Amino acid sequence: MRVLRAEYDLTQADLAEKLNVTRQTVIAIESGKYDPSLPLAFAVARTFNQSIEEIFLPDSP
């Protein structure tokens, strides 16, 4: 997500505002400390015009 955010020239604060979350939430998602809810994951995917699977990789078994 960090790479996409940079490609779209968005700061963490900009993305947080678009997603209606806090900047801390964006930081936590980018650092892997927080998995977004399904609605939030869809919002991120819509923001970057990609599928959820292209942005968020599932944990390996």
Side-chain angles (χ1 to χ4, degrees):
M1 193 168 89
R2 182 176 293 133
V3 172
L4 286 170
R5 183 175 54 75
E7 288 175 6
Y8 278 70
D9 197 30
L10 295 171
T11 66
Q12 290 172 333
D14 293 336
L15 182 57
E17 185 175 328
K18 284 183 174 290
L19 299 173
N20 199 29
V21 297
T22 65
R23 181 173 165 264
Q24 287 76 18
T25 299
V26 172
I27 292 168
I29 293 170
E30 288 185 350
S31 66
K33 295 180 180 177
Y34 174 74
D35 290 327
S37 64
L38 194 52
L40 180 53
F42 273 109
V44 171
R46 277 192 305 273
T47 299
F48 296 121
N49 298 313
Q50 295 198 10
S51 69
I52 291 174
E53 294 84 2
E54 291 173 301
I55 300 172
F56 302 102
L57 300 174
D59 291 337
S60 299

